[in-house]
Amino acid sequence: MAIRGQRFHIDLDDDSSPLQGGSQSGQPTIRNPWSLVADVHERASPTSATPPSPPRIKSSQSGFPAHKKRSKPSAFKQRKSEKNHGRADDDASRAQTASQDAAASKQKTDHLDEKHKIDIENRQRLAKMSSEDIDQARKELMSGLSESLIEQLLKRANIEEDQSIEDGKIASRKEAHSPLKVPSEEKATLDMTDIPPLDEKASLDPQDISIQPPPDVQPVSSFRGWPVPPSFHFPPPPTPPSLDPEDPDFLSKLHSTYFPSLPSNPNALSWMQPPDPAENEAYSPSRNDLPPSAVRFDFKGRLLPPRLASQIPTTKGLHHHGTAPEAAGYTIPELAHLSRSSFPSQRCIAYQTLGRILYRLGTGVFGPEDHELCQGLWKCIEQGRVLDTLTAEAARDAECGNRSCWVTAIEAVWLWRKGGGRKWKAA
């Protein structure tokens, strides 16, 4: 429903608009309730208003602002005053304690002086009395006092006497432990009349002085009463017999001489014995045929024939206690077994050697792929699961396990892929 409105016109040049709050005649005009726009009127500024003046800084002789005094002391001064106040309180408490101690000691001294005066008076009175007067006075005191009171007085007298004796002992100990006191010059006197005159003509001859020991001193050699110390006997250990390493029974004699209480296990020491000639027949130069599983390689993956393997010295590190211990080099089954060792260094050697063998085998260094030797070597690799071991080690996380084994396994897999990445397939 539309609202009907009234049309009107606005003259912006006319100051006396009907929409303004008032007219020139001073009568208020009626404002249109539906109008949304009205005139904006500026308020007239008063003529009495003055602009603000800039701040003025108090001038000083030095040109710098004057120092402002603090209304309250600083925190450092407050802490210092509190510390001085606490120190003054401690000094006052010490002084009060010292005064109390002095008063107590003075009171005790006065009491002792009074007791001493009474004792002196009693002794003087007893000195003036005769023995008959003393006996008579004693009888009068005994007749006038009860027996229980007399016993208490006697006990008290004994206690005081013991206390005086103990005080005397303590005083004597203090004098003994106290440092020596040097007498002053006023008190130190020397009577020179008792000293005989010294003969100027007399001379002191050292030979005239005879030094003799006291009569009760005797040399130690003359005393026969010392007890004779007992003689201790430590039996020497038995001297072990000399052992000859070239003796065939060297191991058994070594065990019986130095380890007789330990159980004997000859199989555990068999690697120390010289190898049997029958063991070296597996890789002997006199053989005309060898199985692929007996072929040996060095650490660079090169094939070692039997004649060369028997000539390599043991210092090269290629000898071990496996089959044919006198022949140098490792076979593929031995390297596959070594790649599963619990020692990281042994696994690294096996991974590195196997990777180089795979590269040479893939590039045809040992012959074409269909050659009998290559087929036998690929079969040994498959039976020992060499590729599975290398890929599993190279695919694991670098943060898990040994980092050197992980790096050498990656290198071995890269060499295998570089040589062709072929696998043996059974016909």
Side-chain angles (χ1 to χ4, degrees):
M1 174 177 163
I3 300 174
R4 296 182 64 184
Q6 183 181 2
R7 180 180 297 177
F8 61 91
H9 296 276
I10 299 174
D11 188 5
L12 298 177
D13 296 332
D14 190 6
D15 292 338
S16 60
S17 175
L19 297 177
Q20 296 179 359
S23 60
Q24 295 179 355
S25 61
Q27 295 180 359
T29 57
I30 299 172
R31 185 182 298 275
N32 187 7
W34 303 106
S35 63
L36 300 176
V37 180
D39 292 338
V40 179
H41 294 276
E42 234 181 272
R43 294 183 180 179
S45 60
T47 57
S48 61
T50 57
S53 60
R56 294 182 180 179
I57 301 174
K58 295 181 180 180
S59 61
S60 59
Q61 296 178 358
S62 61
F64 293 95
H67 174 67
K68 182 180 180 182
K69 294 184 178 180
R70 296 181 178 179
S71 59
K72 60 179 182 179
S74 62
F76 174 75
K77 192 172 183 179
Q78 291 178 0
R79 289 196 297 270
K80 189 175 182 181
S81 61
E82 290 176 0
K83 188 175 181 180
N84 295 335
H85 183 66
R87 192 176 296 171
D89 293 343
D90 295 341
D91 296 340
S93 61
R94 290 196 195 95
Q96 185 178 2
T97 306
S99 62
Q100 292 177 359
D101 295 341
S105 61
K106 184 178 180 182
Q107 185 178 2
K108 186 176 181 180
T109 305
D110 295 342
H111 177 68
L112 293 175
D113 293 344
E114 186 69 21
K115 186 177 180 180
H116 186 62
K117 289 179 182 178
I118 294 172
D119 185 41
I120 292 173
E121 290 178 1
N122 291 337
R123 291 180 184 276
Q124 290 177 358
R125 186 176 296 177
L126 288 173
K128 293 178 181 179
M129 295 173 63
S130 61
S131 59
E132 296 177 355
D133 294 339
I134 292 172
D135 293 339
Q136 185 178 358
R138 184 180 296 171
K139 289 179 181 179
E140 291 178 358
L141 288 173
M142 292 294 181
S143 61
L145 298 176
S146 61
E147 295 181 357
S148 60
L149 182 59
I150 291 171
E151 289 180 359
Q152 291 179 2
L153 292 175
L154 291 175
K155 289 180 180 179
R156 184 175 180 182
N158 294 333
I159 292 172
E160 291 179 355
E161 184 177 359
D162 296 340
Q163 185 67 26
S164 63
I165 294 171
E166 186 68 23
D167 293 342
K169 291 181 179 179
I170 293 172
S172 63
R173 289 197 200 100
K174 289 183 178 179
E175 291 177 0
H177 290 287
S178 62
L180 296 176
K181 295 182 179 179
V182 180
S184 60
E185 295 181 358
E186 297 178 357
K187 295 182 180 179
T189 58
L190 182 63
D191 192 2
M192 302 296 293
T193 59
D194 297 338
I195 301 175
L198 182 62
D199 190 4
E200 296 179 357
K201 296 181 179 181
S203 61
L204 186 61
D205 190 1
Q207 297 181 357
D208 297 339
I209 301 174
S210 60
I211 301 174
Q212 296 181 357
D216 56 344
V217 176
Q218 297 179 2
V220 179
S221 59
S222 63
F223 188 72
R224 303 297 181 184
W226 294 105
V228 180
S231 60
F232 296 97
H233 174 64
F234 296 99
T239 305
S242 59
L243 299 178
D244 186 12
E246 303 296 335
D247 190 0
D249 299 332
F250 171 73
L251 297 178
S252 60
K253 290 181 180 180
L254 179 67
H255 181 269
S256 61
T257 303
Y258 293 99
F259 310 102
S261 60
L262 297 179
S264 177
N265 187 7
N267 295 329
L269 301 177
S270 60
W271 63 273
M272 298 180 65
Q273 297 178 355
D276 191 4
E279 296 180 1
N280 296 320
E281 292 294 332
Y283 207 67
S284 175
S286 60
R287 295 190 60 174
N288 296 325
D289 56 342
L290 291 172
S293 59
V295 176
R296 294 178 175 266
F297 301 88
D298 62 358
F299 292 136
K300 294 184 178 181
R302 294 175 298 193
L303 192 145
L304 294 176
R307 190 177 301 276
L308 181 60
S310 62
Q311 296 176 359
I312 294 176
T314 56
T315 56
K316 298 297 182 180
L318 293 171
H319 292 78
H320 52 87
H321 302 287
T323 307
E326 290 188 354
Y330 288 84
T331 63
I332 291 179
E334 290 172 350
L335 291 172
H337 179 73
L338 198 63
S339 64
R340 294 186 290 271
S341 174
S342 59
F343 293 95
S345 58
Q346 293 181 351
R347 296 202 304 271
C348 290
I349 293 173
Y351 294 159
Q352 193 176 42
T353 307
L354 287 171
R356 293 170 179 177
I357 292 172
L358 289 171
Y359 174 77
R360 293 178 183 274
L361 187 60
T363 55
V365 175
F366 303 139
E369 187 178 356
D370 57 350
H371 194 270
E372 183 179 359
L373 177 60
C374 296
Q375 292 290 334
L377 294 178
W378 278 114
K379 185 177 180 180
C380 293
I381 291 171
E382 183 65 24
Q383 289 177 353
R385 302 182 66 87
V386 172
L387 295 176
D388 296 341
T389 304
L390 294 176
T391 53
E393 180 69 23
R396 68 171 178 82
D397 191 2
E399 302 297 330
C400 301
N402 190 273
R403 183 66 66 89
S404 299
C405 295
W406 176 67
V407 171
T408 51
I410 291 177
E411 180 186 357
V413 173
W414 181 82
L415 288 172
W416 168 59
R417 298 292 297 176
K418 192 74 173 175
R422 290 183 295 274
K423 292 184 179 181
W424 178 78
K425 296 181 181 181

